[in-house]
Amino acid sequence: MDINQVIRVVENVKQKTPLVHNITNVVVTNFTANGLLALGASPVMAYAKEEVEDMAKISRALVLNIGTLNETEVEAMILAGKSANAHGVPIVFDPVGAGATSYRTKTAQRIVEELDITVLRGNAAEVANVMGEQWLIKGVDAGEGHGDLVSLAESAAKQLKTVVVITGKQDIITDGVTTYIVHNGHVLSTKVTGAGCLLSAVVGACIGVEENPLTAAVSAVSSYGVAAELAAMKKEKEGPGSFQVEFLNQLSHLSAQHIKQYASIEKKESV
Amino acid sequence: MDINQVIRVVENVKQKTPLVHNITNVVVTNFTANGLLALGASPVMAYAKEEVEDMAKISRALVLNIGTLNETEVEAMILAGKSANAHGVPIVFDPVGAGATSYRTKTAQRIVEELDITVLRGNAAEVANVMGEQWLIKGVDAGEGHGDLVSLAESAAKQLKTVVVITGKQDIITDGVTTYIVHNGHVLSTKVTGAGCLLSAVVGACIGVEENPLTAAVSAVSSYGVAAELAAMKKEKEGPGSFQVEFLNQLSHLSAQHIKQYASIEKKESV
Amino acid sequence: MDINQVIRVVENVKQKTPLVHNITNVVVTNFTANGLLALGASPVMAYAKEEVEDMAKISRALVLNIGTLNETEVEAMILAGKSANAHGVPIVFDPVGAGATSYRTKTAQRIVEELDITVLRGNAAEVANVMGEQWLIKGVDAGEGHGDLVSLAESAAKQLKTVVVITGKQDIITDGVTTYIVHNGHVLSTKVTGAGCLLSAVVGACIGVEENPLTAAVSAVSSYGVAAELAAMKKEKEGPGSFQVEFLNQLSHLSAQHIKQYASIEKKESV
């Protein structure tokens, strides 16, 4: 992927300030909103069945996240999602903790069945469990995986007809045909709750300004990873508290220069 | 307004640690509580219909915020508000996102009809929509306004018989007769989610120690803006993450000296 | 208590990364999750009645906190708690605001009646109110206490057959027979919302790796207090915003050396 495409997407987020409608978990609402604001997007959180269809319709992207799901919220997600689908608003789905309880797994599967998802973003265990594969998960953290993550991502993308993003030590982004591997990011992100949830929301911001979901997702994942690396360069020694604060700073300062210098995007050669 | 009144209000918050009962949105609960603590107030969040009447009754102010409203929470707001009204506890109302969806607009209008609100705090679009005027709003951010904001504030204050605070590039505070314009604050606050919501809560803290709601509101808005300016002086270059942290620091250190030096409060001359 | 026991518990949290299931209030979810991650534990928040039994069962500890309770959540707490009890998963209970409203008091009493609690952690007013004693409380902050806190803790521990932790200027930890007083911590923690809630969750993390609940609780309270002191050494002058960030840093860096140097644990001599 031409790095200038990534730069253009990030700059468009700043210029167009896309409205991103989040129905997300209570742990990460604040961090998600602040991360989107730092990047230049315009976050809104709305959950009530009375308004989610209206809010999704006027947004540039809808982000669904089942991190602290309950039946009322799931119904709101379905309503919002159908409204988004009807009005051409792309949906990012983050199946937090799929596999940890059967309720989460079933709900995640229901969402991908009832809605047309544009991008599915999760760790390997979550994506596998959405696909009906057994994959050990511990709470909401990825367990030790087995198997070929690229194959998992590609088969999920084909079956669900979405772009799939599997994040981990390296990040895999695929539409089932073309696959990219991003080598950015920093391990301190795993010590910040909601780092994955915010990434899903950032994918939403990028897809709100870029029609090609694969380009949008690669742009989101790589620039997010670059911001994490820049934050770690400054604050790794201090610890996760300082890193989180600096990460918001870096998201707001992301420049073409930073992205050109640090983004590491590999196109997987087809076999 | 005599600047010593503002200083006295801020000092009284620290000394009397007023209990401020918040029914607010899930995005900003933590930042609101930490902001109130930094200023010296005593925040409590309570939402259940079984207890909101009791909690409102023992509080010095009730702050209602519809940022992530739902029917259960709106019912709790009405119950809490009626209890506050019955016991002489002042109410601050923040109609977050009024105008973005018809559900928000209707709910905001219901709240100002059913309850005696002491201070209404919002951006121009929100206040206009509460008043039944069409005003474009984008998500929960103020859209580009039109019309005369001072007139809007004054007519809203007269019609609703409350103090109205409209925040934006400059902040307008009026009871419909006397109007102040505050020129404090910093644009980085727009990159911190819940900056407006916390201001509403700070109005609650000030009104909890100052009987005159206009004095309380002007004190809250100006001292809040001074804290934002002080934070920006120290951390603007770093970015919104560091600014938010420093803003909490500055709220806790606000001194008579700072307020005297930086507060910029203009009394509007009547025409 | 041998200081090496405390060190071992803290090191075991890092190595074993116990899954800690939290059903807690909306104000502190993010800070609680980040605090547990900083310490090395693996937090999960799950509230839905459809999944709390499954989640509690696979966790190493369940932490219940009624800071923003409602009936749906209380039912989930009871379901999760019964599942924890059935599967030998220890429960930490934090009766936030017991005494502030009769609903909170009754709910707290219901929880200690229906569930076998392993550790009860609160301020003096909260613990007294759980025990049915009148004790003035202001919102969710401890009021000015009266009476002998050690006697209160010991009688509560005996009556409820739990370990009781009463935090305040000094922290009391007792199983009703053996009582420790910890002299760590820093007053700036009272300016950070959820400092007590996170401590309850840290007790959960420690009890997830240490079978003796008294040892686990003393380890949690003292190491938490040491981290607060280290954070204050670095950031007290800056204020509560910087202190909170640094506190997360210090939790992640807690070392045997720090604990040996600063932990102040006094065993109360029996009379």
Side-chain angles (χ1 to χ4, degrees):
Chain A
M1 183 168 295
D2 183 354
I3 195 69
N4 289 309
Q5 284 186 288
V6 174
I7 291 168
R8 183 176 43 77
V9 170
V10 171
E11 285 176 351
N12 277 341
V13 170
K14 277 214 182 336
Q15 280 169 26
K16 298 186 178 173
T17 64
L19 185 64
V20 180
H21 178 192
N22 299 273
I23 303 183
T24 189
N25 69 74
V26 294
V27 183
V28 306
T29 47
N30 187 268
F31 184 56
T32 301
N34 277 327
L36 287 173
L37 284 171
L39 198 69
S42 181
V44 68
M45 273 69 179
Y47 301 83
K49 69 179 191 304
E50 289 87 353
E51 70 166 355
V52 288
E53 291 164 292
D54 289 348
M55 197 65 94
K57 189 169 58 178
I58 61 170
S59 297
R60 300 290 304 173
L62 172 66
V63 180
L64 304 177
N65 175 309
I66 60 168
T68 53
L69 77 176
N70 61 52
E71 273 312 279
T72 306
E73 204 167 291
V74 171
E75 293 311 320
M77 288 185 191
I78 298 290
L79 283 174
K82 291 196 168 164
S83 173
N85 282 167
H87 294 89
V89 175
I91 301 177
V92 180
F93 176 45
D94 188 334
V96 181
T101 65
S102 64
Y103 177 57
R104 283 183 192 233
T105 309
K106 280 178 199 164
T107 299
Q109 291 172 346
R110 179 183 165 200
I111 285 172
V112 297
E113 274 161 29
E114 293 201 26
L115 302 176
D116 289 331
I117 301 300
T118 315
V119 181
L120 175 72
R121 209 272 337 149
N123 61 41
E126 289 162 349
V127 172
N129 277 284
V130 171
M131 302 301 297
E133 294 182 24
Q134 298 295 323
W135 193 295
L136 203 62
I137 186 165
K138 176 186 173 187
V140 294
D141 296 323
E144 288 303 310
H146 58 281
D148 178 349
L149 300 191
V150 170
S151 296
L152 171 64
E154 289 176 348
S155 66
K158 278 177 198 156
Q159 189 177 318
L160 300 174
K161 292 174 186 150
T162 66
V163 166
V164 169
V165 178
I166 293 182
T167 48
K169 282 180 191 172
Q170 54 187 24
D171 303 324
I172 300 153
I173 303 104
T174 183
D175 60 6
V177 177
T178 308
T179 300
Y180 292 93
I181 298 173
V182 170
H183 300 275
N184 292 111
H186 193 276
V187 69
L188 258 180
S189 295
T190 65
K191 292 295 181 187
V192 176
T193 197
C197 302
L198 175 53
L199 174 54
S200 296
V202 168
V203 172
C206 290
I207 217 168
V209 299
E210 166 58 48
E211 282 198 1
N212 183 322
L214 190 62
T215 303
V218 170
S219 301
V221 171
S222 57
S223 54
Y224 191 89
V226 168
E229 291 174 28
L230 291 165
M233 283 177 213
K234 281 203 165 181
K235 297 291 180 181
E236 184 173 10
K237 276 185 196 161
E238 278 83 343
S242 298
F243 170 78
Q244 178 178 355
V245 171
E246 186 61 29
F247 180 60
L248 292 175
N249 291 342
Q250 293 297 336
L251 279 179
S252 81
H253 290 323
L254 260 185
S255 67
Q257 184 54 39
H258 289 140
I259 293 170
K260 269 192 186 155
Q261 189 172 353
Y262 295 110
S264 173
I265 303 166
E266 172 195 355
K267 186 170 181 180
K268 183 189 151 254
E269 299 305 319
S270 54
V271 188
Chain B
M1 183 168 295
D2 183 355
I3 197 67
N4 289 308
Q5 284 186 287
V6 174
I7 291 167
R8 185 176 40 78
V9 170
V10 171
E11 285 177 350
N12 276 342
V13 170
K14 278 215 182 335
Q15 279 169 26
K16 298 185 178 173
T17 65
L19 185 64
V20 180
H21 177 193
N22 299 274
I23 303 182
T24 189
N25 69 75
V26 294
V27 184
V28 306
T29 47
N30 187 269
F31 184 57
T32 302
N34 277 327
L36 288 173
L37 284 171
L39 198 70
S42 181
V44 68
M45 273 68 177
Y47 301 83
K49 69 179 191 303
E50 289 86 353
E51 71 166 353
V52 287
E53 291 164 293
D54 289 348
M55 197 65 93
K57 190 169 60 179
I58 61 170
S59 298
R60 300 290 303 174
L62 172 65
V63 180
L64 305 178
N65 175 309
I66 60 168
T68 53
L69 77 176
N70 61 52
E71 274 312 280
T72 306
E73 204 166 292
V74 171
E75 293 312 319
M77 288 184 192
I78 299 289
L79 284 173
K82 290 195 169 163
S83 173
N85 282 165
H87 294 90
V89 175
I91 302 177
V92 180
F93 176 44
D94 189 334
V96 181
T101 65
S102 64
Y103 177 57
R104 281 183 194 233
T105 310
K106 280 178 199 161
T107 300
Q109 291 172 346
R110 179 182 167 200
I111 286 172
V112 297
E113 274 161 29
E114 292 199 27
L115 302 175
D116 289 332
I117 302 298
T118 316
V119 181
L120 174 71
R121 210 275 332 153
N123 61 40
E126 289 161 349
V127 172
N129 276 285
V130 171
M131 302 301 298
E133 294 183 24
Q134 298 296 324
W135 195 295
L136 203 63
I137 186 165
K138 177 187 172 186
V140 293
D141 295 323
E144 289 303 310
H146 58 280
D148 178 348
L149 300 190
V150 170
S151 295
L152 170 64
E154 290 177 349
S155 67
K158 279 176 196 156
Q159 189 176 318
L160 300 174
K161 291 173 188 153
T162 65
V163 167
V164 169
V165 177
I166 292 182
T167 48
K169 282 180 190 171
Q170 53 188 23
D171 303 324
I172 300 153
I173 304 103
T174 183
D175 61 5
V177 177
T178 307
T179 300
Y180 292 94
I181 298 174
V182 170
H183 301 276
N184 293 112
H186 193 275
V187 68
L188 259 181
S189 294
T190 65
K191 293 294 180 189
V192 176
T193 198
C197 302
L198 174 55
L199 174 54
S200 296
V202 167
V203 172
C206 290
I207 217 169
V209 298
E210 166 58 48
E211 282 198 2
N212 183 323
L214 190 62
T215 303
V218 171
S219 300
V221 171
S222 58
S223 55
Y224 191 88
V226 168
E229 290 173 30
L230 292 165
M233 283 177 214
K234 281 203 166 180
K235 298 289 180 182
E236 184 173 9
K237 277 186 196 161
E238 279 83 342
S242 297
F243 170 78
Q244 178 177 355
V245 171
E246 186 61 29
F247 180 62
L248 292 175
N249 291 342
Q250 293 297 335
L251 279 178
S252 82
H253 291 322
L254 260 185
S255 68
Q257 184 55 39
H258 288 141
I259 293 169
K260 269 191 186 158
Q261 189 171 354
Y262 294 109
S264 173
I265 303 166
E266 174 194 353
K267 186 171 181 180
K268 182 187 150 255
E269 298 306 318
S270 51
V271 189
Chain C
M1 183 170 295
D2 183 354
I3 196 67
N4 289 308
Q5 284 186 287
V6 174
I7 291 168
R8 184 175 41 77
V9 170
V10 171
E11 285 176 349
N12 277 341
V13 170
K14 278 217 182 332
Q15 280 169 25
K16 298 187 179 174
T17 66
L19 185 64
V20 180
H21 177 192
N22 298 273
I23 303 182
T24 188
N25 69 76
V26 294
V27 184
V28 305
T29 47
N30 187 268
F31 184 57
T32 302
N34 277 328
L36 287 174
L37 284 171
L39 197 70
S42 181
V44 68
M45 273 67 178
Y47 300 83
K49 68 180 193 302
E50 289 87 353
E51 71 167 353
V52 288
E53 291 165 293
D54 289 349
M55 198 65 93
K57 190 170 59 178
I58 61 171
S59 298
R60 299 290 304 173
L62 172 66
V63 180
L64 305 177
N65 175 310
I66 60 167
T68 53
L69 77 175
N70 61 52
E71 274 312 280
T72 307
E73 203 166 292
V74 171
E75 293 312 318
M77 288 184 191
I78 299 290
L79 283 173
K82 289 195 170 162
S83 173
N85 283 166
H87 294 90
V89 175
I91 301 177
V92 180
F93 176 45
D94 188 334
V96 181
T101 65
S102 65
Y103 177 57
R104 283 184 191 232
T105 310
K106 280 179 200 162
T107 299
Q109 290 172 346
R110 180 183 165 200
I111 286 172
V112 297
E113 274 161 29
E114 293 200 26
L115 301 176
D116 289 332
I117 302 298
T118 316
V119 181
L120 175 71
R121 207 269 342 148
N123 60 40
E126 290 161 348
V127 172
N129 276 285
V130 171
M131 302 302 296
E133 292 183 24
Q134 297 296 322
W135 194 295
L136 203 61
I137 184 165
K138 177 187 173 189
V140 293
D141 295 323
E144 289 303 310
H146 58 281
D148 178 348
L149 300 191
V150 170
S151 296
L152 170 64
E154 290 177 348
S155 66
K158 278 176 197 155
Q159 189 177 320
L160 300 174
K161 291 172 188 153
T162 66
V163 167
V164 169
V165 178
I166 292 182
T167 49
K169 282 180 190 172
Q170 54 187 24
D171 303 323
I172 300 153
I173 302 104
T174 183
D175 60 5
V177 178
T178 307
T179 300
Y180 292 93
I181 298 174
V182 170
H183 301 276
N184 293 110
H186 193 274
V187 69
L188 260 181
S189 294
T190 65
K191 293 294 180 187
V192 176
T193 197
C197 302
L198 175 54
L199 173 54
S200 296
V202 168
V203 172
C206 291
I207 218 169
V209 299
E210 166 58 49
E211 281 197 2
N212 183 324
L214 190 63
T215 303
V218 171
S219 300
V221 171
S222 58
S223 55
Y224 191 89
V226 167
E229 290 173 28
L230 292 165
M233 283 177 212
K234 281 203 166 182
K235 298 289 181 182
E236 183 173 10
K237 277 186 195 161
E238 278 84 342
S242 298
F243 170 78
Q244 177 178 356
V245 171
E246 187 61 29
F247 180 61
L248 292 176
N249 291 342
Q250 294 297 335
L251 279 178
S252 81
H253 291 322
L254 261 185
S255 68
Q257 184 56 37
H258 289 140
I259 294 169
K260 270 192 186 156
Q261 188 171 355
Y262 294 110
S264 172
I265 303 166
E266 173 195 354
K267 186 170 183 181
K268 183 188 150 256
E269 298 306 317
S270 53
V271 188

